Amino acid sequence: MDTTSTRAHDAVRTAPRALATEAVHAGRDDLARQGLHAPPIDLSTTYPSYDSRGEAARIDAFAATGAEPDGPPVYGRLGNPTVARFETALARLEGTEAAVAFASGMAALSAVLLVRGSMGLRHVVAVRPLYGCSDHLLTAGLLGSEVTWTDPAGVADALRPDTGLVLVESPANPTLAEVDLRAVAHACGSVPLLVDNTFATPVLQRPAEHGARLILHSATKYLGGHGDVLAGVVACDEEFAGRLRQVRFATGGVLHPLAGYLLLRGLSTLPVRVRAASATVAELVRRLAADPRVARVHYPRIGGAMVAFEVYGDPHEVIGAVRLITPAVSLGSVDTLIQHPASISHRIVDPDDRREAGVSDRLLRMSVGLEDVEDLWSDLDAALGQRPHRGAGNCATSHNEPAHAP
């Protein structure tokens, strides 16, 4: 069975396909001619080779460019056929030449910073809010990076000769604030724009179409979709992918083949899951916006399955009172999760920086799953507690306006 042929077979197919079709078939195009229906899971860590001279030449080629070795696999840290199928599929969905998978979203971001840092480009321009651990990685300078925080309109002015990266997240975690990606990409000039597309997924936006060179996903979230796999991935052009593979090989942040299999399976239902959950969220947003116990609702114009809202009461009491909804960190699963960002996902961010970025102490973030909307509302309604007396004012929904860079 030829487990290395999927990329070559996928590359020769040029007819455009709808995203829903790509989600089901990308990374699997070679299966039928191999007599297979489900993708195989290759758990090998090493592979036999009787041609040591040829293997040495392939390793030399990888060391030079980071291109995937031709022929059979060499070693699990260099690449894995099952993981390669997921990478092929994700690149197809994002509309990029390649994708490189890692053991987690933070490993993926770290690899990008290491690639740019190795070129002497350690300065990063970033827009808050970001995922709390991404914020911390940049602020603490753990990888030798230096960060300048700015709003989208200030990106161009923040660039320096040693700027290696501009980083935005849109919709942002946890406020769901949106950025005009095309305007920011223009402001970046020759500096690569990295967009964290975890919340939107390629179902709602494809940042490469707006000028982003790098697209980051915490694949743990919507791409996996079932809360049972930890992974990260960067979609990009082949040149940058080669550098990322070299960093992955050197640092060891590889994705396990079983995780690659689960992610490929998760992609097949991604459009259906995102669209179904988005329809439920739209109804929940309508009810939350009219509820006198809720001060403000944050929901992006792009839509999606995430909603954030600020309560007048104690947010910790809401977390403690849910019964159907799961009070847990993370997002993008088939079941609904709720968490208090100031206590968990963004606790590591300085409190003043956190509040300045719009992450208030009364903000709750909810990732809506595939449950029935009435059951979710019944649980949320009970958790919000007693309604105020008649006459109390209602809140208004806040659609986050995209901010335009110059």
Side-chain angles (χ1 to χ4, degrees):
M1 174 171 48
D2 180 6
T3 60
T4 66
S5 62
T6 177
R7 288 189 186 277
H9 182 88
D10 204 61
V12 300
R13 185 191 55 74
T14 57
R17 303 193 295 202
L19 183 133
T21 304
E22 290 284 23
V24 173
H25 289 280
R28 305 169 177 84
D29 287 323
D30 64 323
L31 294 180
R33 61 189 176 85
Q34 293 191 56
L36 299 173
H37 184 240
I41 305 176
D42 188 331
L43 295 173
S44 297
T45 58
T46 192
Y47 300 85
S49 173
Y50 293 95
D51 181 9
S52 57
R53 291 186 183 88
E55 190 161 89
R58 291 196 295 144
I59 292 174
D60 286 346
F62 176 83
T65 66
E68 292 183 297
D70 293 329
V74 177
Y75 182 59
R77 189 153 45 85
L78 201 65
N80 173 271
T82 307
V83 173
R85 290 182 181 279
F86 163 66
E87 292 171 331
T88 295
L90 193 276
R92 285 277 179 190
L93 293 182
E94 284 289 6
T96 59
E97 293 177 345
V100 183
F102 294 86
S104 70
M106 292 307 301
L109 176 57
S110 296
V112 172
L113 294 174
L114 288 171
V115 166
R116 299 303 281 168
S118 70
M119 302 168 68
L121 303 171
R122 298 185 180 277
H123 179 241
V124 178
V125 174
V127 176
R128 280 188 172 120
L130 296 174
Y131 169 52
C133 288
S134 299
D135 189 307
H136 177 68
L137 181 64
L138 295 175
T139 303
L142 295 175
L143 297 179
S145 58
E146 178 187 350
V147 62
T148 296
W149 296 101
T150 185
D151 58 31
V155 166
D157 291 338
L159 298 178
R160 304 186 331 203
D162 63 337
T163 302
L165 192 69
V166 174
L167 174 58
V168 301
E169 184 174 1
S170 183
N173 186 355
T175 65
L176 303 174
E178 295 172 278
V179 173
D180 185 332
L181 298 181
R182 191 175 300 278
V184 172
H186 178 75
C188 289
S190 61
V191 176
L193 171 62
L194 185 151
V195 175
D196 188 330
N197 203 34
T198 299
F199 277 24
T201 80
V203 176
L204 300 179
Q205 74 179 7
R206 306 211 308 178
E209 296 176 351
H210 301 285
R213 185 177 174 190
L214 307 168
I215 299 97
L216 173 71
H217 286 272
S218 172
T220 307
K221 314 307 195 290
Y222 286 104
L223 303 189
H226 293 76
D228 55 7
V229 59
L230 197 68
V233 64
V234 179
C236 55
D237 57 50
E238 177 56 35
E239 179 185 357
F240 203 95
R243 301 296 300 271
L244 288 173
R245 293 185 196 108
Q246 290 175 324
V247 168
R248 182 177 64 182
F249 175 73
T251 60
V254 296
L255 185 67
H256 192 275
L258 180 58
Y261 172 84
L262 291 173
L263 288 168
L264 184 64
R265 187 176 68 171
L267 287 184
S268 64
T269 61
L270 177 65
V272 176
R273 288 186 284 108
V274 169
R275 289 166 181 154
S278 298
T280 300
V281 172
E283 175 59 21
L284 293 176
V285 165
R286 185 188 69 80
R287 298 186 189 189
L288 287 167
D291 197 299
R293 298 166 294 183
V294 177
R296 187 180 182 190
V297 180
H298 302 261
Y299 188 63
R301 292 187 180 278
I302 199 173
M306 299 294 301
V307 61
F309 55 96
E310 299 169 46
V311 295
Y312 285 114
D314 186 344
H316 300 284
E317 291 185 1
V318 178
I319 293 292
V322 292
R323 294 295 177 265
L324 175 66
I325 299 169
T326 302
V329 73
S330 199
L331 57 107
S333 185
V334 291
D335 62 318
T336 299
L337 309 176
I338 192 170
Q339 65 114 336
H340 182 239
S343 295
I344 306 179
S345 63
H346 289 70
R347 187 68 178 178
I348 201 167
V349 179
D350 178 84
D352 291 337
D353 292 337
R354 190 169 65 222
R355 296 184 189 103
E356 187 176 345
V359 185
S360 79
D361 291 341
R362 294 187 179 275
L363 182 75
L364 294 169
R365 190 197 73 187
M366 190 162 66
S367 166
V368 176
L370 301 181
E371 302 95 337
D372 185 85
V373 66
E374 296 300 336
D375 291 326
L376 289 174
W377 178 249
S378 176
D379 190 42
L380 193 56
D381 182 38
L384 286 169
Q386 186 174 0
R387 292 175 179 267
H389 294 297
R390 190 181 295 271
N394 292 350
C395 72
T397 305
S398 171
H399 284 283
N400 297 296
E401 295 286 354
H404 293 268

